Amino acid sequence: MPTEHMGDYEIEYSGVRVIGGDEWVAHVAIFGPSHNPMHRNPVFPSQRVLVDKTFGDEKSAEQGALRAAHALLESSRHGQAGR
């Protein structure tokens, strides 16, 4: 599963084929900072994102998942700044 770091967060993203179909969907998990390097702190459990969208191939679904993860983290960051 591909991963990317954005600040202190680790993003796992993937494209998952729809059962019995040719479409792909986007999945994301986000892990936050942890004091223990042997433990990851899940802040967004692995789940489908962009639930109203399917993709024609795995790579496109992965790219959509990564864009969605970036948007989630950006909105979270802006929400915290307003407090």
Side-chain angles (χ1 to χ4, degrees):
M1 178 175 293
T3 62
E4 178 177 295
H5 285 86
M6 184 173 173
D8 291 334
Y9 295 92
E10 180 181 1
I11 302 166
E12 285 187 349
Y13 58 98
S14 63
V16 177
R17 184 184 289 265
V18 174
I19 295 173
D22 292 328
E23 300 90 15
W24 294 78
V25 296
H27 274 250
V28 169
I30 301 174
F31 301 91
S34 174
H35 297 291
N36 181 346
M38 298 300 290
H39 174 74
R40 296 193 310 173
N41 180 25
V43 296
F44 187 83
S46 180
Q47 61 188 289
R48 182 177 173 186
V49 293
L50 306 173
V51 297
D52 58 344
K53 185 164 179 61
T54 58
F55 299 87
D57 58 68
E58 181 179 20
K59 195 53 108 177
S60 297
E62 288 176 353
Q63 292 169 351
L66 187 56
R67 284 191 303 271
H70 282 215
L72 283 167
L73 288 173
E74 284 296 322
S75 68
S76 173
R77 186 177 0 202
H78 291 299
Q80 291 175 356
R83 290 184 187 171

